Amino acid sequence: MPRSPLLALVVLAGAALVAAHDDCFVQTIDYVTGVNRVRFLGKSPNFQIFPNTSLDGYLQLRFFKLQELTAANQAVTNHSVTSFAAAAPTWTAANTSVNGVSFTLVRLTLDPTTFNGFDTACPSTSGRRALHESEEAAGAGRALLQTTVTPTPLVTLSLYFGNANSATFPYGNNKTETIPAGSVKVTVEYSNWPFCNVNNTLSLEIDLLLKGDAAAKPIASSSTDGTKYLTISLGNGTVCGIRHTTYAYEGISGVRSLPVGVSINNTNTTSTMVLKLPNPAPNSSVYYDLTVVSNIILIVPGSAAGVRVTLWTLAAAVLLSVFMS
């Protein structure tokens, strides 16, 4: 019998814990490199990053919703995936090398059309709000109604981690980005998404959770080039940082940069990062990177509440220096 992608993951990881949950199975797959651990939960892109295997603190990123939005931020009917697990992504895993630095690469690819209710056709404007405010304005807002069979849309998440040394990746034409040692590089790619309007975008929502499912409370900062950073304390003087650029490309070596919006929605119980990803029209594909630095350890004397400001100021400064060095 052929080996399934998940079984291949288990073999590559070297360890897996399988626990029954209602009528299904929850796969827990660990990858350990040096003092870092990345743990995958279930079949969707839902993973925990442990900066230090001797500590129990972790940052969890759970990708859970992808939906097309109009220019007025209204969801387009039947153009969303509200559960990555239900869309049954295909998993692959391998060891790879980038500019001489070894990584573990886990890739998840999903076809949105396998999600119940997804339709590549655009909904009719009859009986609902129009997808565009004006079709007469120089054609810029013209609806791209699907009248023929379109190519299959694909969404791919690639995670590179386990690097003992920093590595340089291409990102844009003749441009690079540096991934510090012990970090997790997440690449979001999509192609042939059946956008209903040239002004529409994709909204990707990612829950940020800490150990015990407590809400993460990220602190935002930015560099002089506009790159955004989030700093998240995991306790024990350990801090995770997330870097997200404010632009994507039409491919890994793309020339035209495309705007990406990033926002954080905090409530008493949830912290969610929302990426507003671009429509690449007249082209069909988008390539976007974000990076999680998981091994920043701060030693700040004292534990009084007054030290908290010092801790966060130092954390933001250290994060910026790590990424920009």
Side-chain angles (χ1 to χ4, degrees), residues 290-303:
L290 62 87
T291 306
V292 182
V293 171
S294 62
N295 57 354
I296 301 174
I297 299 178
L298 303 176
I299 301 176
V300 180
S303 58

Side-chain angles (χ1 to χ4, degrees), residues 133-215:
E133 296 181 357
S134 172
E135 290 189 19
E136 294 78 24
R142 186 175 304 279
L144 304 178
L145 300 180
Q146 307 300 314
T147 58
T148 60
V149 176
T150 59
T152 301
L154 290 177
V155 179
T156 302
L157 299 176
S158 301
L159 287 83
Y160 295 81
F161 55 89
N163 54 315
N165 300 296
S166 63
T168 300
F169 281 75
Y171 188 53
N173 186 37
N174 296 321
K175 297 181 180 179
T176 60
E177 62 177 357
T178 299
I179 308 302
S183 301
V184 178
K185 175 182 179 288
V186 182
T187 297
V188 181
E189 299 175 81
Y190 52 93
S191 60
N192 301 317
W193 185 275
F195 286 102
C196 292
N197 189 287
V198 293
N199 295 319
N200 288 3
T201 58
L202 284 182
S203 172
L204 174 60
E205 299 185 19
I206 309 168
D207 275 345
L208 305 178
L209 306 169
L210 298 181
K211 178 181 179 294
D213 283 346

Side-chain angles (χ1 to χ4, degrees), residues 74-288:
Q74 299 293 319
V76 177
T77 304
N78 297 332
H79 274 223
S80 63
V81 176
T82 56
S83 169
F84 278 83
T90 299
W91 289 69
T92 61
N95 296 317
T96 189
S97 178
V98 178
N99 288 328
V101 179
S102 297
F103 284 87
T104 296
L105 170 60
V106 172
R107 180 165 286 154
L108 298 87
T109 302
L110 66 88
D111 174 357
T113 63
T114 64
F115 182 74
N116 187 33
F118 191 95
D119 193 342
T120 57
C122 292
S124 169
T125 58
S126 174
R128 66 173 182 86
R129 183 189 302 271
L131 287 176
H132 51 281
E133 296 181 357
S134 172
E135 290 189 19
E136 294 78 24
R142 186 175 304 279
L144 304 178
L145 300 180
Q146 307 300 314
T147 58
T148 60
V149 176
T150 59
T152 301
L154 290 177
V155 179
T156 302
L157 299 176
S158 301
L159 287 83
Y160 295 81
F161 55 89
N163 54 315
N165 300 296
S166 63
T168 300
F169 281 75
Y171 188 53
N173 186 37
N174 296 321
K175 297 181 180 179
T176 60
E177 62 177 357
T178 299
I179 308 302
S183 301
V184 178
K185 175 182 179 288
V186 182
T187 297
V188 181
E189 299 175 81
Y190 52 93
S191 60
N192 301 317
W193 185 275
F195 286 102
C196 292
N197 189 287
V198 293
N199 295 319
N200 288 3
T201 58
L202 284 182
S203 172
L204 174 60
E205 299 185 19
I206 309 168
D207 275 345
L208 305 178
L209 306 169
L210 298 181
K211 178 181 179 294
D213 283 346
K217 297 300 181 185
I219 303 300
S221 58
S222 61
S223 64
T224 55
D225 66 358
T227 302
K228 305 294 184 180
Y229 303 88
L230 297 178
T231 308
I232 306 170
S233 174
L234 303 185
N236 296 305
T238 303
V239 172
C240 266
I242 302 177
R243 173 184 64 187
H244 36 82
T245 54
T246 54
Y247 53 90
Y249 290 102
E250 292 157 320
I252 189 171
S253 299
V255 175
R256 182 168 70 112
S257 63
L258 306 168
V260 174
V262 183
S263 61
I264 296 292
N265 298 331
N266 287 319
T267 68
N268 290 334
T269 58
T270 306
S271 185
T272 301
M273 180 167 63
V274 182
L275 300 177
K276 191 173 184 179
L277 299 167
N279 180 344
N283 294 310
S284 62
S285 62
V286 169
Y287 184 97
Y288 179 73

